[in-house]
Amino acid sequence: MAQRIEALGERVREVLGENITDFKTELNEVTIELRPDELLANLARLRDEEGLRFDQLMDLCGVDYVAYGEDEWITGEASWTGFSRGVDGFSMGRMGITGVYGVHKVQSNTGRRFAVVYHLQSIELNQRLRVKVFATDDEFPIIPSAVSIWNTANWFEREAFDLYGIVFEGHPDLRRILTDYGFVGHPFRKDFPLIGNVEMRYDPDRARVIYQPVTIEPRVLVPRVIRDDNRYAGRNTSGVRN
């Protein structure tokens, strides 16, 4: 397996050369990063070149890397009676990245917030490759559409557009695919409130379903924290007191 992965990595670097801005081999998987302005030409090479032949796009997804690697939960302040209580009052939490949905402003235009990840497979050579590309503008992320390379990208790109607001330039029918008609915002962005902006209920007076501002109080939940507790002192692993 290791030899095959090494051979694949060498072939990818041989074909794409300096077009690769980042290259990683971890857990027997090869991941490369490409620039958006050269994306389609490089994807076509991955599909057509000998030794690659990635004729299948297995998946395409968006990623929001804002505050990536930062801790959201203050577990040090959780007590044994409140593992799941909100620790950040009535704010949206999210480390101050509530953006257009709150009072804080997301640090923007880093060119490293929104990414699109392609999972490719070669049926002929039985090998896989992960390709990542970052949108250069965080405020209005645009990535070239890969529908002309793999037709299966069509609905995948619509999903990434719907959930992350990533615009795929050249897509033949770019519109929402999962959220409701007239939905405002992109629910997988990290600055989107976890409780949403509106809620739906049946109004008996109007005899129809209506939308209204969400009535849930926003709060941040902390995961359960396991700590030493004197209540269990002296017990063995079976739970029986010694």
Side-chain angles (χ1 to χ4, degrees), residues 39-48 54-57 120 145-153:
L39 179 64
L40 297 186
N42 290 320
L43 291 180
R45 294 188 185 101
L46 292 174
R47 181 193 61 186
D48 299 334
F54 289 104
D55 52 351
Q56 293 286 329
L57 173 64
L120 310 181
S145 173
V147 172
S148 61
I149 309 297
W150 300 284
N151 191 49
T152 52

Side-chain angles (χ1 to χ4, degrees), residues 41-131:
N42 290 320
L43 291 180
R45 294 188 185 101
L46 292 174
R47 181 193 61 186
D48 299 334
E49 289 286 344
E50 292 291 337
L52 299 177
R53 300 297 190 189
F54 289 104
D55 52 351
Q56 293 286 329
L57 173 64
M58 304 305 296
D59 189 27
L60 179 156
C61 61
V63 185
D64 183 356
Y65 280 99
V66 69
Y68 177 73
E70 297 182 24
D71 189 7
E72 181 174 1
W73 298 285
I74 310 173
T75 57
E77 299 180 4
S79 67
W80 69 273
T81 59
F83 288 124
S84 62
R85 61 181 170 79
V87 298
D88 202 18
F90 293 101
S91 77
M92 298 305 296
R94 291 290 176 183
M95 302 155 286
I97 57 169
T98 50
V100 297
Y101 307 108
V103 296
H104 299 289
K105 182 67 175 177
V106 175
Q107 182 181 359
S108 61
N109 288 327
T110 62
R112 303 292 293 180
R113 175 176 178 180
F114 293 107
V116 175
V117 181
Y118 306 80
H119 295 272
L120 310 181
Q121 181 179 12
S122 170
I123 302 298
E124 176 184 347
L125 302 177
N126 189 26
Q127 58 190 14
R128 295 174 181 265
L129 177 70
R130 182 183 297 109
V131 179

Side-chain angles (χ1 to χ4, degrees), residues 5-241:
I5 296 300
E6 183 178 354
L8 172 60
E10 291 179 356
R11 181 55 180 159
V12 169
R13 283 180 287 193
E14 179 182 350
V15 171
L16 299 185
E18 296 181 355
N19 294 317
I20 300 175
T21 59
D22 190 31
F23 181 95
K24 293 181 181 178
T25 302
E26 296 178 350
L27 302 176
N28 290 324
E29 296 178 338
V30 178
T31 302
I32 64 173
E33 182 181 325
L34 300 174
R35 288 181 287 269
D37 56 343
E38 304 167 342
L39 179 64
L40 297 186
N42 290 320
L43 291 180
R45 294 188 185 101
L46 292 174
R47 181 193 61 186
D48 299 334
E49 289 286 344
E50 292 291 337
L52 299 177
R53 300 297 190 189
F54 289 104
D55 52 351
Q56 293 286 329
L57 173 64
M58 304 305 296
D59 189 27
L60 179 156
C61 61
V63 185
D64 183 356
Y65 280 99
V66 69
Y68 177 73
E70 297 182 24
D71 189 7
E72 181 174 1
W73 298 285
I74 310 173
T75 57
E77 299 180 4
S79 67
W80 69 273
T81 59
F83 288 124
S84 62
R85 61 181 170 79
V87 298
D88 202 18
F90 293 101
S91 77
M92 298 305 296
R94 291 290 176 183
M95 302 155 286
I97 57 169
T98 50
V100 297
Y101 307 108
V103 296
H104 299 289
K105 182 67 175 177
V106 175
Q107 182 181 359
S108 61
N109 288 327
T110 62
R112 303 292 293 180
R113 175 176 178 180
F114 293 107
V116 175
V117 181
Y118 306 80
H119 295 272
L120 310 181
Q121 181 179 12
S122 170
I123 302 298
E124 176 184 347
L125 302 177
N126 189 26
Q127 58 190 14
R128 295 174 181 265
L129 177 70
R130 182 183 297 109
V131 179
K132 184 184 299 183
V133 58
F134 281 87
T136 57
D137 188 349
D138 296 345
E139 297 288 344
F140 190 61
I142 301 177
I143 298 292
S145 173
V147 172
S148 61
I149 309 297
W150 300 284
N151 191 49
T152 52
N154 193 318
W155 281 22
F156 290 146
E157 290 179 349
R158 286 180 58 188
E159 182 180 59
F161 165 71
D162 190 358
L163 301 180
Y164 291 94
I166 300 173
V167 175
F168 291 88
E169 188 174 19
H171 190 284
D173 185 23
L174 190 62
R175 54 193 170 94
R176 292 184 182 271
I177 192 172
L178 294 176
T179 55
D180 198 4
Y181 298 106
F183 188 90
V184 177
H186 305 283
F188 275 17
R189 288 190 175 190
K190 290 185 178 179
D191 56 0
F192 190 87
L194 298 181
I195 59 173
N197 292 311
V198 297
E199 63 185 21
M200 182 176 61
R201 68 175 179 86
Y202 180 77
D203 189 326
D205 296 330
R206 303 181 189 180
R208 64 180 177 86
V209 172
I210 65 169
Y211 288 90
Q212 64 185 29
V214 65
T215 57
I216 302 174
E217 292 182 351
R219 66 187 187 130
V220 176
L221 302 182
V222 296
R224 180 172 181 178
V225 181
I226 306 298
R227 294 190 175 88
D228 294 333
D229 194 314
N230 57 14
R231 294 176 299 168
Y232 306 108
R235 291 188 180 185
N236 57 28
T237 56
S238 64
V240 179
R241 185 175 295 275

